[in-house]
Amino acid sequence: MNKQIHLNRFLQSGKAILGVLFSLALLLPAWSQETSPQGSSRGNRSLAEAAAASFNAGQYNEAIVGWTSMINKGDQVKTALLNRAKAYLVIQQPLLAIEDLNSLEKTAAPNEKSTLLVLKAVAFSSLGQKDESLRAFNQAEALDRNPYVYINRATVYQDMGDLDSARLDLQKAITMQPSRANYFNLAVLERRSFNYKACIEILTAILKQDNSFVPAYAQRGICLASDGKHQEAIQDLLKAITLDPTLADAYFQLGKSMLALGKTEAAKSYLLKSADLYLAQGKIVSYRAAMKLIAAPSR
């Protein structure tokens, strides 16, 4: 039996990132059940539970300490190594993740190898080794054709500028799993391909099913603005920041749309807010873009 592990828990923050794929996920084959060494105490079982709880709470270093203790004690080593590798990916330490995955690969069962390959592919992508990442994804696909191989590989294709291959992968994923996240990913891709009508149609369909899905409002606002429909875009973007006031890209696009409509003062306030958020989030390129627009109207 397969179990679904959502990578947005351990690859990025939980927030959607406008302009890139919203959700990264893997369909991981179940690992063979491990038994603890003879005489393993309840304390070791509690250690595993505590590590998992720390991971789910975003306390990744605490989780890593717990899984490292399990590994040192020889308790459920395979599971602890796999979980520690995921945590390393979250804290952007792909080399450490690869080290754990290589250790697992030595004794992995056939139904476990696809999981390791996909995780290694993500790690290679984080290192900027796109060709190695694609090679690992292709190997995983040969072992286990599941939608999450295609979802994650599509992100690599997008990073490489190969939007046609990314679209094919997302369409395969949707055929296998027509989820909201997969359709959202396709909408983002259509925007990046300048297919604004298709982008808007997909996001509108998503919002008809769930009118509380914040990323769809923000992304549709960006699509509408890109299509020159700034009044409609502003409505969506205001809705998005009302529901989630941390969406820097939504504030940025609000500022740009206000400028397009000649509302300079309103634009400045939204651009300043986006700049503050970008700076806090470490997005220096976006911060500079916002500051450039703020300065422009006063010239």
Side-chain angles (χ1 to χ4, degrees):
M1 181 178 293
N2 290 333
K3 64 178 180 178
Q4 185 171 319
I5 305 291
H6 289 283
L7 278 184
N8 58 328
R9 278 182 161 183
F10 58 90
L11 294 182
Q12 300 285 350
S13 68
K15 302 295 182 183
I17 301 175
L18 301 178
V20 299
L21 295 189
F22 162 64
S23 177
L24 297 178
L26 292 174
L27 194 64
L28 300 183
W31 289 86
S32 52
Q33 292 295 319
E34 286 190 270
T35 56
S36 298
Q38 190 68 29
S40 179
S41 67
R42 178 176 176 79
N44 282 342
R45 292 195 296 273
S46 296
L47 185 61
E49 294 167 0
S54 294
F55 180 84
N56 290 331
Q59 299 168 346
Y60 303 118
N61 285 327
E62 288 84 346
I64 289 169
V65 169
W67 287 317
T68 301
S69 295
M70 291 174 63
I71 293 164
N72 292 339
K73 294 176 180 179
D75 184 50
Q76 301 181 63
V77 174
K78 286 174 62 177
T79 301
L81 278 169
L82 181 66
N83 288 331
R84 190 173 70 174
K86 297 173 190 175
Y88 282 142
L89 288 173
V90 173
I91 63 172
Q92 299 180 27
Q93 294 296 326
L95 289 174
L96 292 174
I98 290 171
E99 186 177 328
D100 279 353
L101 294 169
N102 284 340
S103 295
L104 283 165
E105 213 167 27
K106 296 173 183 176
T107 58
N111 70 322
E112 297 170 343
K113 290 183 179 179
S114 177
T115 297
L116 302 180
L117 283 166
V118 174
L119 288 170
K120 286 179 77 171
V122 172
F124 285 135
S125 181
S126 297
L127 290 167
Q129 299 175 15
K130 303 302 181 183
D131 290 338
E132 281 297 317
S133 179
L134 286 179
R135 189 174 296 110
F137 276 127
N138 294 342
Q139 291 173 345
E141 179 187 22
L143 293 171
D144 181 13
R145 292 174 178 268
N146 70 69
Y148 301 100
V149 171
Y150 299 119
I151 294 167
N152 289 304
R153 192 172 64 184
T155 68
V156 177
Y157 279 133
Q158 287 205 67
D159 288 344
M160 297 175 71
D162 188 351
L163 301 186
D164 289 337
S165 294
R167 180 180 289 102
L168 287 174
D169 268 359
L170 286 175
Q171 288 170 343
K172 289 176 184 177
I174 287 172
T175 299
M176 300 168 73
Q177 185 188 71
S179 67
R180 181 183 69 181
N182 288 344
Y183 276 109
F184 182 89
N185 292 343
L186 181 60
V188 173
L189 178 60
E190 296 297 1
R191 180 183 65 77
R192 294 189 64 186
S193 302
F194 308 106
N195 298 326
Y196 302 127
K197 182 178 178 181
C199 172
I200 293 165
E201 287 177 352
I202 294 169
L203 295 168
T204 299
I206 290 173
L207 287 168
K208 283 182 178 178
Q209 293 184 347
D210 181 2
N211 63 7
S212 66
F213 187 50
V214 181
Y217 286 111
Q219 192 61 223
R220 190 172 67 176
I222 294 172
C223 285
L224 286 164
S226 298
D227 201 27
K229 300 174 182 176
H230 292 288
Q231 290 287 7
E232 295 175 62
I234 287 170
Q235 293 179 25
D236 272 354
L237 294 165
L238 288 173
K239 178 75 171 180
I241 63 173
T242 298
L243 294 171
D244 186 350
T246 69
L247 293 177
D249 288 345
Y251 284 101
F252 182 67
Q253 183 58 63
L254 270 168
K256 289 174 65 178
S257 289
M258 291 291 184
L259 284 177
L261 296 175
K263 300 179 180 180
T264 304
E265 288 305 312
K268 184 177 180 179
S269 65
Y270 288 119
L271 290 170
L272 279 170
K273 179 65 175 178
S274 73
D276 288 342
L277 289 169
Y278 284 139
L279 195 59
Q281 295 165 8
K283 298 177 181 178
I284 303 303
V285 173
S286 297
Y287 167 77
R288 288 173 177 166
M291 295 302 289
K292 184 177 179 179
L293 283 179
I294 291 168
S298 61
R299 291 176 182 173

